[in-house]
Coordinates of all heavy atoms in Angstrom, one line a residue:
A1 N -6.4 -249.9 -140.0 CA -6.9 -250.7 -139.0 C -8.4 -250.9 -139.1 O -8.9 -251.9 -138.7 CB -6.5 -250.0 -137.6
A2 N -9.0 -250.0 -139.6 CA -10.6 -250.0 -139.7 C -10.9 -251.0 -140.6 O -12.0 -251.7 -140.6 CB -11.2 -248.7 -140.0
N3 N -10.1 -251.4 -141.6 CA -10.5 -252.4 -142.7 C -10.2 -253.8 -142.3 O -10.6 -254.7 -143.0 CB -9.6 -252.0 -144.0 CG -10.1 -250.7 -144.6 OD1 -11.3 -250.3 -144.5 ND2 -9.2 -250.2 -145.4
W4 N -9.6 -254.0 -141.2 CA -9.5 -255.4 -140.6 C -8.8 -256.3 -141.6 O -9.2 -257.5 -141.8 CB -10.8 -256.0 -140.2 CG -11.3 -255.3 -139.0 CD1 -12.1 -254.2 -138.9 CD2 -11.2 -255.8 -137.6 NE1 -12.4 -253.9 -137.6 CE2 -11.8 -254.9 -136.8 CE3 -10.4 -256.8 -137.1 CZ2 -11.9 -255.0 -135.4 CZ3 -10.5 -256.9 -135.7 CH2 -11.2 -255.9 -134.8
Y5 N -7.7 -255.8 -142.3 CA -6.9 -256.7 -143.1 C -6.1 -257.6 -142.3 O -5.6 -257.4 -141.2 CB -6.0 -255.9 -144.0 CG -6.7 -255.0 -145.0 CD1 -6.4 -253.7 -145.2 CD2 -7.9 -255.5 -145.7 CE1 -7.0 -252.9 -146.2 CE2 -8.5 -254.7 -146.6 CZ -8.0 -253.4 -146.9 OH -8.7 -252.6 -147.8
V6 N -5.8 -258.8 -142.8 CA -5.0 -259.8 -142.1 C -3.6 -260.0 -142.8 O -3.6 -260.0 -144.0 CB -5.7 -261.2 -142.1 CG1 -4.8 -262.3 -141.4 CG2 -7.1 -261.1 -141.3
G7 N -2.6 -260.1 -142.0 CA -1.2 -260.4 -142.5 C -0.5 -259.2 -143.2 O 0.4 -259.2 -143.8
T8 N -1.1 -257.9 -142.8 CA -0.5 -256.7 -143.3 C 0.6 -256.2 -142.3 O 0.6 -256.4 -141.2 CB -1.5 -255.6 -143.6 OG1 -2.1 -255.3 -142.3 CG2 -2.5 -256.1 -144.5
N9 N 1.6 -255.5 -143.0 CA 2.7 -255.0 -142.2 C 2.9 -253.5 -142.7 O 3.8 -253.2 -143.4 CB 4.0 -255.7 -142.4 CG 5.1 -255.2 -141.4 OD1 4.8 -254.5 -140.5 ND2 6.3 -255.7 -141.8
A10 N 2.0 -252.7 -142.2 CA 2.0 -251.3 -142.8 C 2.8 -250.4 -141.9 O 2.4 -249.4 -141.3 CB 0.5 -250.7 -142.7
T11 N 4.1 -250.8 -141.9 CA 5.1 -250.0 -141.1 C 6.4 -249.8 -141.8 O 6.6 -250.5 -142.7 CB 5.4 -250.7 -139.7 OG1 6.0 -252.0 -140.0 CG2 4.1 -250.9 -139.0
G12 N 7.1 -248.9 -141.4 CA 8.4 -248.6 -142.0 C 9.3 -247.8 -141.1 O 8.7 -247.2 -140.1
S13 N 10.5 -247.7 -141.4 CA 11.4 -246.8 -140.5 C 11.3 -245.4 -140.9 O 11.6 -245.1 -141.9 CB 12.8 -247.4 -140.6 OG 13.8 -246.6 -139.9
L14 N 10.8 -244.6 -140.0 CA 10.7 -243.2 -140.3 C 11.9 -242.4 -139.9 O 11.9 -241.5 -139.0 CB 9.4 -242.6 -139.5 CG 8.1 -243.3 -139.8 CD1 7.0 -242.7 -138.9 CD2 7.7 -243.1 -141.2
S15 N 13.0 -242.8 -140.5 CA 14.3 -242.2 -140.2 C 14.4 -240.7 -140.8 O 13.7 -240.6 -141.9 CB 15.4 -243.0 -140.6 OG 15.4 -243.3 -142.0
P16 N 15.0 -239.9 -140.3 CA 15.1 -238.5 -140.8 C 15.6 -238.5 -142.2 O 16.5 -239.2 -142.7 CB 16.3 -237.8 -139.9 CG 16.2 -238.5 -138.6 CD 15.9 -240.0 -139.0
N17 N 15.0 -237.6 -143.1 CA 15.3 -237.5 -144.5 C 15.1 -238.7 -145.4 O 15.4 -238.7 -146.5 CB 16.7 -237.0 -144.6 CG 17.1 -235.7 -143.8 OD1 16.3 -234.8 -143.9 ND2 18.2 -235.7 -143.2
S18 N 14.3 -239.7 -144.9 CA 14.1 -240.8 -145.6 C 12.8 -240.7 -146.4 O 11.9 -239.8 -146.2 CB 13.9 -242.0 -144.6 OG 12.7 -241.9 -143.9
S19 N 12.7 -241.4 -147.5 CA 11.5 -241.3 -148.3 C 10.3 -241.8 -147.6 O 9.2 -241.3 -147.8 CB 11.7 -242.2 -149.6 OG 12.0 -243.5 -149.3
T20 N 10.4 -242.9 -146.7 CA 9.4 -243.3 -145.9 C 8.8 -242.2 -145.1 O 7.5 -242.1 -145.0 CB 9.8 -244.6 -145.1 OG1 10.4 -245.5 -145.9 CG2 8.7 -245.1 -144.3
L21 N 9.7 -241.5 -144.4 CA 9.1 -240.4 -143.7 C 8.5 -239.2 -144.5 O 7.4 -238.7 -144.1 CB 10.3 -239.7 -142.9 CG 10.0 -238.5 -142.0 CD1 9.0 -238.9 -141.0 CD2 11.2 -237.9 -141.3
A22 N 9.1 -239.0 -145.6 CA 8.4 -238.0 -146.4 C 7.1 -238.5 -146.9 O 6.1 -237.7 -147.0 CB 9.3 -237.8 -147.7
N23 N 6.9 -239.8 -147.3 CA 5.7 -240.2 -147.7 C 4.7 -240.3 -146.6 O 3.4 -240.0 -146.8 CB 5.8 -241.7 -148.2 CG 6.6 -241.8 -149.6 OD1 6.6 -240.8 -150.3 ND2 7.2 -242.9 -149.8
Y24 N 5.2 -240.6 -145.4 CA 4.2 -240.5 -144.2 C 3.7 -239.1 -143.9 O 2.5 -238.9 -143.7 CB 5.0 -241.0 -143.0 CG 4.2 -241.0 -141.7 CD1 3.1 -241.8 -141.4 CD2 4.6 -240.0 -140.7 CE1 2.4 -241.7 -140.3 CE2 3.8 -239.8 -139.5 CZ 2.8 -240.7 -139.3 OH 2.0 -240.6 -138.1
E25 N 4.7 -238.1 -143.9 CA 4.2 -236.7 -143.7 C 3.2 -236.3 -144.7 O 2.3 -235.6 -144.4 CB 5.4 -235.8 -143.6 CG 6.2 -235.9 -142.4 CD 5.6 -235.4 -141.2 OE1 4.6 -234.6 -141.3 OE2 6.1 -235.7 -140.1
S26 N 3.4 -236.7 -146.0 CA 2.5 -236.3 -147.0 C 1.1 -237.0 -146.9 O 0.1 -236.3 -147.1 CB 3.1 -236.8 -148.4 OG 2.1 -236.6 -149.4
A27 N 1.1 -238.3 -146.3 CA -0.1 -239.0 -146.2 C -1.0 -238.4 -145.1 O -2.2 -238.4 -145.1 CB 0.1 -240.4 -145.9
I28 N -0.4 -237.8 -143.9 CA -1.1 -237.3 -142.9 C -1.4 -235.8 -143.0 O -2.2 -235.2 -142.2 CB -0.4 -237.5 -141.6 CG1 0.9 -236.8 -141.5 CG2 -0.2 -239.0 -141.3 CD1 1.6 -237.0 -140.1
A29 N -0.7 -235.1 -144.0 CA -0.9 -233.7 -144.0 C -2.3 -233.3 -144.3 O -3.0 -233.9 -145.1 CB 0.0 -233.1 -145.2
N30 N -2.9 -232.3 -143.5 CA -4.2 -231.9 -143.5 C -4.3 -230.3 -143.5 O -5.2 -229.8 -143.2 CB -5.0 -232.4 -142.4 CG -6.5 -232.6 -142.6 OD1 -6.9 -232.7 -143.8 ND2 -7.3 -232.4 -141.6
D31 N -3.2 -229.7 -143.9 CA -3.0 -228.2 -143.9 C -4.0 -227.5 -144.7 O -4.5 -226.4 -144.4 CB -1.6 -227.8 -144.3 CG -0.6 -228.5 -143.4 OD1 -0.3 -228.1 -142.3 OD2 0.1 -229.4 -144.0
S32 N -4.4 -228.1 -145.9 CA -5.2 -227.3 -146.8 C -6.8 -227.5 -146.5 O -7.6 -226.9 -147.1 CB -5.0 -227.8 -148.3 OG -5.4 -229.2 -148.3
N33 N -7.1 -228.2 -145.5 CA -8.4 -228.5 -145.1 C -8.9 -227.4 -144.1 O -8.6 -227.4 -143.0 CB -8.6 -229.8 -144.5 CG -10.0 -230.2 -144.2 OD1 -11.0 -229.5 -144.4 ND2 -10.3 -231.5 -143.8
A34 N -9.6 -226.4 -144.6 CA -10.0 -225.3 -143.8 C -11.2 -225.7 -142.9 O -11.5 -225.0 -141.9 CB -10.5 -224.2 -144.7
F35 N -11.8 -226.9 -143.1 CA -12.9 -227.3 -142.2 C -12.7 -228.7 -141.8 O -13.5 -229.6 -142.0 CB -14.3 -227.2 -143.1 CG -14.6 -225.8 -143.7 CD1 -14.1 -225.5 -144.9 CD2 -15.2 -224.9 -143.0 CE1 -14.3 -224.2 -145.5 CE2 -15.5 -223.7 -143.4 CZ -15.0 -223.3 -144.7
A36 N -11.6 -228.8 -141.1 CA -11.1 -230.2 -140.7 C -12.0 -230.8 -139.6 O -11.8 -232.0 -139.3 CB -9.7 -230.1 -140.3

């Protein structure tokens, strides 16, 4: 959102056990950051 791209559709169905959900969880994971 911060980049102000036009015409993008950065969404997908986050259904249980789907690859989209797995990729999303991986993208937001911040567990290893001790100084978040």
Side-chain angles (χ1 to χ4, degrees):
N3 287 334
W4 290 87
Y5 295 139
V6 175
T8 59
N9 185 18
T11 63
S13 178
L14 301 179
S15 55
N17 302 318
S18 68
S19 59
T20 305
L21 178 60
N23 292 336
Y24 174 75
E25 288 286 349
S26 176
I28 64 174
N30 205 29
D31 303 282
S32 61
N33 188 353
F35 304 94

